[in-house]
């Protein structure tokens, strides 16, 4: 590990015996089953994200639960995934659907019990699947005992566990403009909440019920590390770290925090003061020493890092630094945001998306590793966003998946993607449940924005698009629940349900299964160098993956019309000899003619394999 230049306070933790846990045994069997290499096990892995509240409900209350996940493990095993990342199942008031945690050490009764989670970990291990937990430690719930103690008195021993500040000098506490800084939250409104009892404000970059932890306090870090060790001892395979690059704030003399430039909603953009702050790398290196060095083997660590640059990502993921294995970057999912932000979307310009992912491919080729994703619980459905969720829903879902999985990195499949699930199709504000969406709508009304424009923005970009229940069969509510779902089913679920797709070899599900199998069996998918072809073409997405002895040629038509491609013209020599199809969107894939020309059908994609 590289030497750290900013020493941290010692954080002695409770000693934990090295576990002979199911997760580490899972990784060993996975490594033995596949070709022995020196690469980390997660280079060949595919991760599947489960949003528990919408996955499968077993007790009829309309909310998914942990036993429901366990009951559907065979679906994931058939798909071939190696890891399941669970969105939070900890105790929570659910102001932000579980990302506001009131107890990191227990399971919320809404989802089940610790015994249920232990059973899930064990059953997943039996299927060679590791369980990764969501680590949400930039903030807690305001109902966490730490915050309750902190807010109880200005003299509380935990007062400095959170960011408390007095009103701006010369103002009246609690009045507009008195906030310590002008920062706006990610969920609309001020990032500061006034506490009348103590006469001070606390910082919340998200909901007012999600106060930010003060990572400068070594006691906070020690508690977080002890909690992480306890989960590793239970057998989890690692952590996805929620907005982890916000934990280090830039603090001036006397603890001062600076204002930011004005945002479209009138609040200040404080991101320069809290994104990738000065002690981020020191905190992550310390975390590695205090947590992961206490256990044998290797664990998957992926850091959600909004606003991260490629240069910063190289540092985060450099194996020599021993910080995290990969990051989630957000550049590509911001390309269709308009002047008014995510709820003011604009059409995607395909060359921009190709160029962005290619830049990250090249930028992390020598140092670090990419995460590959188009959707998650915070993004709209990819097939509605960048595909065609009407006439060409099935084939466009396949092609978006093929393009993503053939890049170099670890792919993430969000629940329902393997079924080609489209957006929620909501048409009225009353159908939405997401806090971000509802706050935006309320703020838009205050600002006098057109109500129809607001609904169009929500329909395109709301997080609820990804949070509707997974349809498992054609029974009522798609077999998700025997009760009333907590949020409406996506229209058309009868034709996207898992049972029907598993029975159809031409379905989106089996296409994902083939893509995952290809990654597991062909080293060029993992190790091959990436080269983008035809970067300015507005419909064709083409690239190669090449090792010393093998090459994959990827061709994809991202349009609703036929596309004729002259392979030599885009840099593919010997195109007439491309006949070995590794995977394709159609059962009968298009092939080049004797002149090296190929005609791709609407949204068709194909991967050719050849020796070099």
């Amino acid at each position: 590990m590289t030497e750290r230049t900013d020493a941290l306070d010692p954080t002695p933790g409770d000693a934990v015996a090295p576990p002979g846990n199911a997760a580490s045994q899972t990784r060993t069997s996975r490594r033995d089953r596949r070709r022995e290499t020196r690469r980390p096990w997660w280079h060949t892995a595919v991760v599947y994200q489960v949003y528990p509240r919408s996955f499968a409900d077993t007790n009829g209350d309309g909310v998914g639960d942990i036993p429901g996940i366990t009951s559907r493990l065979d679906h994931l095993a058939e798909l071939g995934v190696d890891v399941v990342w669970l969105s939070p199942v900890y105790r929570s008031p659910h102001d932000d659907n579980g990302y506001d945690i009131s107890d990191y050490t227990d399971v919320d009764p809404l989802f089940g019990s610790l015994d249920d989670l232990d059973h899930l970990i064990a059953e997943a291990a039996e299927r060679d699947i590791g369980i990764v937990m969501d680590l949400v430690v930039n903030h807690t719930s305001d109902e966490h005992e730490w915050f309750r103690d902190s807010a109880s008195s200005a003299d509380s021993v935990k007062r400095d566990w959170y960011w408390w500040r007095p009103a701006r000098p010369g103002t009246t506490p609690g009045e507009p403009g008195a906030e310590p800084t002008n920062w706006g939250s990610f969920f609309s409104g001020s990032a500061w909440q006034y506490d009348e009892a103590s006469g001070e404000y606390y910082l919340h970059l998200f909901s007012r019920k999600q106060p930010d932890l003060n990572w400068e306090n070594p006691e906070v870090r020690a508690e977080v590390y002890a909690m992480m060790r306890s989960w590793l001892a239970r057998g989890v395979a690692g952590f996805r770290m929620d907005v982890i690059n916000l934990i280090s704030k830039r603090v001036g003399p006397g603890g001062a925090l600076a204002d930011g430039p004005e945002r479209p909603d009138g609040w200040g953009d404080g991101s320069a003061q809290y994104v990738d702050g000065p002690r981020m790398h020191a905190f992550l290196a310390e975390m590695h020493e205090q947590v992961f060095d206490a256990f044998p083997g290797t664990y998957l660590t992926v850091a959600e890092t909004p606003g991260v640059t490629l240069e910063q990502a190289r540092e985060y993921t450099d194996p020599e630094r021993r910080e995290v294995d990969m990051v989630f970057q957000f550049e590509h999912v911001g390309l269709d945001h308009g002047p008014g932000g995510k709820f003011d979307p604009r059409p995607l310009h395909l060359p921009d998306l190709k160029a962005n992912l290619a830049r990250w491919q090249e930028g992390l080729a020598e140092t670090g590793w990419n995460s590959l994703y188009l959707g998650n619980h915070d993004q709209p459905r990819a097939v509605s966003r960048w595909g065609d969720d009407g006439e060409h829903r099935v084939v466009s879902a396949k092609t978006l998946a093929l393009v993503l999985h053939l890049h170099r990195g670890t792919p993430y499949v969000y629940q329902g993607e393997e079924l080609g699930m489209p957006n929620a199709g909501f048409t009225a504000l009353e159908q939405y449940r997401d806090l971000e969406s509802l706050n935006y709508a309320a703020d838009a009304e205050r600002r006098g924005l057109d109500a129809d424009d607001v609904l169009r923005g929500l329909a395109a970009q709301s997080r609820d698009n990804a949070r509707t229940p997974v349809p498992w069969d054609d029974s009522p509510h798609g077999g998700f629940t025997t009760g009333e779902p907590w949020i409406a089913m996506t229209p058309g679920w009868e034709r996207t349900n898992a049972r029907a797709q598993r029975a159809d070899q031409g379905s989106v599900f089996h296409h994902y299964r083939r893509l995952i199998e290809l990654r597991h069996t062909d080293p060029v998918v993992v190790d091959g160098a990436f080269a983008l072809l035809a970067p300015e073409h507005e419909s064709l997405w083409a690239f190669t993956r090449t090792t010393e002895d093998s090459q994959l040629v990827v061709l994809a038509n991202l349009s609703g019309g036929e596309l004729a491609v002259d392979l030599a013209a885009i840099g593919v020599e010997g195109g007439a000899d491309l006949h070995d199809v590794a995977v394709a969107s159609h059962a009968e894939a298009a092939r080049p003619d004797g002149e090296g020309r190929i005609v791709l059908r609407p949204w068709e994609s194909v991967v050719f394999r050849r020796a070099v």
Side-chain angles (χ1 to χ4, degrees):
M1 182 175 63
T2 55
E3 182 178 354
R4 286 181 287 153
T5 57
D6 54 339
L8 293 172
D9 305 297
T11 55
D14 51 332
V16 180
N21 60 54
S24 60
Q25 294 166 7
T26 294
R27 287 189 294 279
T28 300
S29 64
R30 182 179 302 116
R31 183 192 63 202
D32 290 345
R33 190 177 73 244
R34 297 186 188 136
R35 197 165 65 107
E36 279 282 354
T37 69
R38 294 186 178 182
R39 70 166 73 92
W41 66 269
W42 36 264
H43 277 200
T44 63
V46 175
V47 182
Y48 185 98
Q49 182 190 356
V50 166
Y51 192 69
R53 143 184 313 266
S54 298
F55 194 66
D57 170 32
T58 58
N59 62 8
D61 66 357
V63 178
D65 46 45
I66 294 171
I69 302 169
T70 305
S71 73
R72 300 297 181 178
L73 283 174
D74 286 343
H75 172 87
L76 303 180
E78 183 178 351
L79 190 62
V81 300
D82 306 271
V83 176
V84 168
W85 149 32
L86 292 184
S87 285
V89 293
Y90 314 96
R91 283 188 178 266
S92 169
H94 296 282
D95 181 61
D96 186 24
N97 284 355
Y99 281 87
D100 50 316
I101 296 169
S102 57
D103 186 346
Y104 290 107
T105 63
D106 199 5
V107 168
D108 195 290
L110 184 69
F111 298 125
S113 66
L114 278 171
D115 286 343
D116 291 330
L117 186 55
D118 288 340
H119 183 58
L120 170 63
I121 293 170
E123 287 295 311
E126 287 294 319
R127 294 161 176 82
D128 210 11
I129 296 173
I131 300 294
V132 163
M133 299 292 282
D134 220 318
L135 183 74
V136 188
V137 290
N138 173 72
H139 47 266
T140 69
S141 166
D142 64 347
E143 298 183 32
H144 196 292
E145 63 177 352
W146 299 345
F147 185 77
R148 286 177 169 168
D149 191 328
S150 181
S152 66
S153 166
D155 298 322
S156 165
V157 295
K158 286 187 170 61
R159 187 69 169 181
D160 193 42
W161 283 40
Y162 295 84
W163 294 90
W164 291 93
R165 291 293 186 273
R168 192 183 295 265
T171 63
T172 301
E175 293 295 317
E179 297 86 1
T181 71
N182 68 346
W183 299 355
S185 85
F186 286 100
F187 288 168
S188 302
S190 175
W192 295 94
Q193 179 67 26
Y194 182 60
D195 175 52
E196 291 186 6
S198 64
E200 289 191 326
Y201 293 81
Y202 65 83
L203 177 66
H204 60 90
L205 293 181
F206 295 90
S207 161
R208 65 177 180 82
K209 291 183 66 64
Q210 293 170 297
D212 278 46
L213 283 165
N214 178 12
W215 271 68
E216 296 296 324
N217 187 323
E219 294 178 343
V220 169
R221 302 197 304 272
E223 285 287 341
V224 169
Y225 302 155
M227 174 268 291
M228 293 174 68
R229 290 192 295 269
S230 73
W231 284 110
L232 293 182
R234 296 195 89 92
V236 304
F239 298 96
R240 174 266 186 184
M241 303 174 182
D242 186 68
V243 294
I244 196 68
N245 67 326
L246 307 185
I247 62 176
S248 174
K249 275 67 170 177
R250 288 178 170 81
V251 183
L257 299 170
D259 284 345
E262 187 172 322
R263 304 190 316 196
D265 64 0
W267 294 102
D269 178 5
S271 59
Q273 309 303 317
Y274 53 72
V275 174
D276 297 290
R279 304 234 293 169
M280 270 307 310
H281 295 292
F283 289 157
L284 289 177
E286 180 189 63
M287 178 188 290
H288 202 289
E289 293 173 353
Q290 294 289 322
V291 177
F292 300 107
D293 285 354
F295 291 85
T298 57
Y299 297 86
L300 175 63
T301 55
V302 54
E304 184 191 32
T305 50
V308 71
T309 66
L310 179 55
E311 292 70 25
Q312 291 165 335
R314 286 195 195 101
E315 292 187 305
Y316 282 130
T317 63
D318 181 349
E320 294 299 317
R321 298 177 66 95
R322 301 176 74 234
E323 295 181 14
V324 296
D325 299 325
M326 66 193 87
V327 301
F328 286 139
Q329 60 91 6
F330 290 83
E331 289 181 0
H332 66 300
V333 292
L335 292 173
D336 59 359
H337 293 181
K342 66 179 285 185
F343 293 114
D344 179 28
R346 61 188 179 187
L348 175 72
H349 184 52
L350 182 62
D352 292 343
L353 180 59
K354 294 190 294 184
N356 181 269
L357 293 189
R359 189 171 70 87
W360 281 83
Q361 290 285 290
E362 295 158 5
L364 296 182
E366 300 300 327
T367 300
W369 190 251
N370 274 289
S371 64
L372 307 174
Y373 77 97
L374 294 180
N376 58 34
H377 65 292
D378 286 333
Q379 303 296 329
R381 291 290 185 180
V383 71
S384 296
R385 186 180 198 176
W386 293 333
D388 177 352
D389 62 7
E391 178 185 358
H392 301 296
R393 180 187 62 83
V394 171
V395 68
S396 67
K398 290 180 178 182
T399 285
L400 289 171
L402 182 147
V403 168
L404 185 76
H405 281 240
L406 267 294
H407 279 70
R408 187 170 187 264
T410 297
Y412 287 73
V413 179
Y414 179 68
Q415 65 180 46
E417 271 186 359
E418 81 280 15
L419 307 179
M421 284 184 67
N423 276 351
F426 293 165
T427 57
L429 187 60
E430 294 74 22
Q431 294 174 282
Y432 289 91
R433 300 290 180 268
D434 174 42
L435 179 67
E436 180 192 40
S437 299
L438 297 175
N439 282 359
Y440 167 74
D443 188 62
E445 182 179 15
R446 176 186 64 81
R447 294 159 56 199
L449 300 185
D450 183 81
D452 289 339
D453 288 343
V454 171
L455 282 177
R456 278 191 289 271
L458 292 176
Q461 293 282 356
S462 171
R463 301 191 302 180
D464 278 339
N465 283 309
R467 300 180 179 186
T468 57
V470 174
W472 294 102
D473 53 41
D474 59 0
S475 63
H477 305 309
F480 165 71
T481 181
T482 57
E484 187 67 25
W486 72 276
I487 191 172
M489 302 289 294
T490 299
W493 58 265
E494 298 88 350
R495 67 178 184 274
T496 60
N497 71 77
R499 177 188 291 171
Q501 294 210 24
R502 289 175 69 180
D504 176 8
Q505 288 297 314
S507 67
V508 179
F509 174 87
H510 283 290
H511 183 71
Y512 269 84
R513 181 183 58 76
R514 294 181 188 103
L515 287 170
I516 294 169
E517 183 179 7
L518 181 66
R519 172 169 295 272
H520 287 164
T521 57
D522 194 335
V524 71
V525 180
V526 177
D527 300 323
F530 177 93
L532 181 65
L533 308 174
E536 298 303 320
H537 200 293
E538 296 193 2
S539 300
L540 177 67
W541 201 335
F543 55 89
T544 57
R545 300 291 310 284
T546 310
T547 59
E548 290 183 358
D549 56 4
S550 183
Q551 183 179 69
L552 297 177
V553 179
V554 180
L555 304 172
N557 175 14
L558 273 74
S559 77
E562 284 192 348
L563 179 63
V565 181
D566 184 326
L567 294 173
I570 66 169
V572 179
E573 299 300 329
D577 297 326
L578 293 177
H579 296 292
D580 182 7
V581 176
V583 65
S585 58
H586 290 64
E588 293 295 328
R591 285 176 166 79
D593 63 18
E595 302 298 322
R597 292 186 295 263
I598 188 171
V599 178
L600 299 174
R601 288 160 283 191
W603 287 99
E604 182 173 12
S605 54
V606 59
V607 180
F608 294 102
R609 180 193 289 112
R610 65 178 175 183
V612 295

